[in-house]
Amino acid sequence: MALNSNALVTLAKAKTFLSIDNTTYDTEVERLINVASQSIERVTKRVLVNATHTEYHDGRRTNTLQPRQWPITGGASPNGKPEVFLDDGTGNFPVSTTLDDSNYFVHELDTLLIRINGNWPLGYRNIKIIYTAGYGVGGDSASMPSDLEDACLQYVAWMFRMNNDRRLGIDSKTKLGETVRFTQGIPVFIEELVEPYKRQEFPVSTVPVRNG
């Protein structure tokens, strides 16, 4: 089994964390890294490892536009910024609708696109953006936050050891009734580690507005 592209750590890092110095468990550890990485993405509602994204956004006549993934790391515009396309009324976003990247910049926190000397035009799904965002590449980059990496390693270790000692998965039990309940899903201590990376979602009006 190979690591998925969204793996938060490498096999080598996980083996070091688990004090494994042979190849006996490589397939199992890779599987657990994939499971842990996917679980953390599901909890945070984000794609955490650097990747390319294509999104459609509603313009709200403000000068800020917030992509769904962050940190923004770049794009294929002439100056390495995210590419922005403004709807011409067809909804197809041809190359001719590309906005010159001198009209906007990436905020210093790498979370927003800021329009210069103006606002993003009002409309429903009238802005298309193509950009790259995320941390590291396969867990090897120095840009991978240490707490995210640690959360993945801790989860891998928890699952690996639970496979060999089922007591680690016990959440509660009763003595007389012989009832044993095992922890389901991601452990609470892992959720606490990734809490700062969760995407907060706010309700948005679903009433379409006229482009323009």
Side-chain angles (χ1 to χ4, degrees):
M1 175 176 286
L3 290 181
N4 295 336
S5 60
N6 66 338
L8 294 172
V9 298
T10 62
L11 174 62
K13 287 183 178 180
K15 288 175 66 175
T16 297
F17 192 80
L18 292 167
S19 299
I20 296 174
D21 60 2
N22 56 66
T23 60
T24 303
Y25 300 101
D26 281 12
T27 299
E28 176 65 5
V29 173
E30 286 181 331
R31 184 185 72 82
L32 294 178
I33 292 172
N34 289 336
V35 170
S37 299
Q38 290 167 359
S39 296
I40 291 171
E41 280 194 352
R42 185 169 59 251
V43 168
T44 60
K45 300 179 182 179
R46 289 175 58 192
V47 177
L48 295 163
V49 173
N50 196 62
T52 300
H53 307 277
T54 299
E55 297 174 355
Y56 298 86
H57 290 261
D58 299 344
R60 301 190 177 278
R61 284 196 182 137
T62 66
N63 69 336
T64 60
L65 184 68
Q66 185 168 26
R68 299 183 184 95
Q69 308 298 335
W70 71 90
I72 300 168
T73 56
S77 78
N79 292 302
K81 301 177 186 177
E83 292 181 285
V84 177
F85 305 80
L86 301 180
D87 186 19
D88 61 356
T90 66
N92 296 320
F93 298 97
V95 174
S96 60
T97 65
T98 305
L99 181 65
D100 190 290
D101 68 6
S102 64
N103 289 282
Y104 58 91
F105 65 93
V106 177
H107 187 270
E108 60 184 8
L109 296 179
D110 298 327
T111 58
L112 300 170
L113 292 183
I114 309 297
R115 188 75 185 265
I116 300 172
N117 297 325
N119 294 327
W120 298 105
L122 182 69
Y124 174 68
R125 289 174 60 87
N126 63 320
I127 303 171
K128 174 183 176 180
I129 60 174
I130 303 176
Y131 67 105
T132 56
Y135 307 101
V137 177
D140 254 345
S141 172
S143 70
M144 180 64 66
S146 57
D147 48 356
L148 264 184
E149 185 176 273
D150 187 58
C152 187
L153 290 172
Q154 293 277 6
Y155 195 12
V156 168
W158 187 85
M159 290 187 289
F160 184 82
R161 290 162 184 155
M162 190 176 71
N163 287 342
N164 297 290
D165 185 353
R166 296 298 296 176
R167 291 175 298 176
L168 290 177
I170 295 176
D171 180 60
S172 65
K173 62 181 178 180
T174 58
K175 186 174 182 180
L176 296 179
E178 296 297 325
T179 299
V180 177
R181 188 178 70 183
F182 288 89
T183 299
Q184 299 296 318
I186 190 168
V188 173
F189 75 96
I190 301 297
E191 284 205 56
E192 291 175 349
L193 282 173
V194 302
E195 178 69 29
Y197 298 92
K198 287 184 179 180
R199 181 170 64 215
Q200 303 299 319
E201 297 183 339
F202 302 95
V204 176
S205 172
T206 58
V207 180
V209 293
R210 186 178 61 194
N211 292 354

